[in-house]
Every structure is written in structure tokens, then in C-alpha cells.
Amino acid sequence: WTGDQGNDLGSILGLALDNDGNIYVTTTKTWDGTDPVGFGGWGAVYKIDTNTALASVFATIPMTNNESGLGSITYDCDHQQFFVSSFEDGLIYRLDMNGTILDSFDHGPTYDPSVGGPVAFGDRPWAVEVHGDRLYYSLWNGNKNGAGSTPNEIWSIGLDATGTPIAGTEYLEITMPLYGNYNWSSPVADIDFSPTGTMVLGERMQTSITALSAHEARVFEYECTEGGW
């Protein structure tokens, strides 16, 4: 995709649309390890204008070691803001409509930049989606060739009236089933909610942070009941 600076966006994965139809995408290194970087660098969130189709850097997420890229992005229409996950430091960033970083949420241990990225299994958020007054997010806890000690999971955290995550309200929503008879499953790369409130989860078959495969990823639909999902 050619941006307004005449340069390629490089490898992208996460995608969101705002109320005006502008497209927002995140950089990624999860394709095959040779992913090209776009003109905004590995921490870039790009905005593609709905009228001109020109791309520009919407936000730059901190990428201390400039090596891991981002996860996904979602638009929170109720609070007019975005959430973006980072594989580098394990944070979920909250952005305003100008791309300014408002704050961030850390599910796991504090990132140690001296160790480098990506953050370890269990501290690696990927899919993000807002539903009701909660932010739902997936944790990449393992994959083929890298089974973690904990299965992949879906968590949520409460949002206050301003759309800020409320510390201490984290809740484990779903523990993903293992794939067949294996001791691993593919991480959930996308979360969406249907008009009736069912949760749809899309796995992506990764064999490492920079390599993927095929045929062993699934799409799940979960219905919310009194007993859970």
C-alpha cells in the first residue's frame, strides 16, 4: 500500500474503521520473519483517509528495541478512542482520535527492555475489542512448536465513564480449548461481537512470533449465558 510519502506501509495486520470510514492498520512481523517495515517504523499505526485513500502515520507506539511490531487495533465508538496491543512490551495502548497516547494497560509483568522483545507467553496481548463497558483482549500463551504452560485465553477489563481501563477489574472470560489431541492451540488474533452479543473468535496458526502455518486454526462463536460463555 503506497502512503502519502510515496513509501510502502510494509507488513500490516490489525484493522479498524472509525465512524467516518477511515481505515486504521497496525504494523506486524508475524508473517514470515522477512516482513518489510513501512515508512512509519515498527511501532506505526497508519490512517488511510476515507476520501483520498492516502496513508499517514496516525500514531507511533513505543518500540524500545524496534523489533517486535504491534498486535491489533480496535475503535471504541462509545468513547471515541482506539486500543492497540503491542508485542514488544505487552501493553495495550489507549489512543484518542488524534493518535495521542492517553495511557496504557499491562496485563502481566512489567516489560524489561534489557531482555528485548517480544514479551513472553502469558504477557502477550493480541486481539482487542470493546463490548458494553469492557475491553476484551486475547492472551497469546502458546502456539504450535511453542506450547505454553497455560492455554490461550480471552480476558476482559472494565472501562470507566471516560473509557479508561479500571485496574483490578480483569476477568478471565474463556480458556481456549486445545487443538485436537495436541497440547497447544493457535492464538486468537481477532475478536468480534455479533448484533445479538455472541463473541466470535478467530485463531491464527503461528509457529513463532515471526512465522505462521495453516490448517490448524479455528473460528469459534460463544454465547453468553448465566453460567458463562
Side-chain angles (χ1 to χ4, degrees):
W1 202 319
T2 300
D4 59 359
Q5 299 181 28
N7 295 312
D8 198 336
L9 296 189
S11 294
I12 55 176
L13 181 69
L15 184 149
L17 283 82
D18 66 16
N19 287 338
D20 295 323
N22 298 300
I23 302 172
Y24 302 80
V25 294
T26 55
T27 57
T28 187
K29 298 187 76 171
T30 59
W31 290 102
D32 63 4
T34 63
D35 306 84
V37 65
F39 62 83
W42 285 119
V45 177
Y46 297 106
K47 177 181 179 179
I48 302 165
D49 188 271
T50 186
N51 296 309
T52 66
L54 294 177
S56 61
V57 175
F58 175 67
T60 301
I61 305 300
M63 196 68 51
T64 306
N65 291 300
N66 198 34
E67 61 183 359
S68 302
L70 302 176
S72 194
I73 182 171
T74 191
Y75 172 60
D76 176 9
C77 59
D78 289 337
H79 302 101
Q80 297 288 289
Q81 62 183 7
F82 297 85
F83 289 99
V84 179
S85 58
S86 172
F87 292 149
E88 176 88 354
D89 54 20
L91 298 181
I92 297 175
Y93 290 85
R94 188 168 70 101
L95 313 177
D96 67 14
M97 294 303 295
N98 295 314
T100 302
I101 296 175
L102 299 173
D103 49 48
S104 61
F105 162 68
D106 191 359
H107 176 92
T110 302
Y111 171 62
D112 181 358
S114 67
V115 176
V119 291
F121 288 156
D123 189 25
R124 193 183 298 176
W126 194 340
V128 283
E129 182 69 20
V130 174
H131 182 64
D133 59 354
R134 300 189 71 82
L135 168 66
Y136 291 76
Y137 57 96
S138 67
L139 281 185
W140 183 348
N141 295 336
N143 50 245
K144 185 176 183 178
N145 299 340
S149 58
T150 303
N152 290 305
E153 298 169 323
I154 307 299
W155 287 73
S156 71
I157 185 170
L159 303 176
D160 66 18
T162 68
T164 305
I166 305 170
T169 63
E170 300 92 333
Y171 182 78
L172 175 60
E173 300 282 352
I174 296 172
T175 298
M176 299 300 296
L178 300 177
Y179 187 91
N181 295 322
Y182 297 110
N183 66 340
W184 53 269
S185 66
S186 296
V188 173
D190 196 21
I191 300 174
D192 202 0
F193 287 87
S194 73
T196 60
T198 60
M199 188 195 305
V200 182
L201 307 175
E203 296 178 332
R204 191 166 190 261
M205 190 188 170
Q206 299 288 144
T207 55
S208 73
I209 186 72
T210 56
L212 75 165
S213 187
H215 310 303
E216 292 168 325
R218 304 162 292 188
V219 175
F220 288 95
E221 183 177 19
Y222 283 89
E223 180 181 2
C224 187
T225 67
E226 292 184 1
W229 290 99

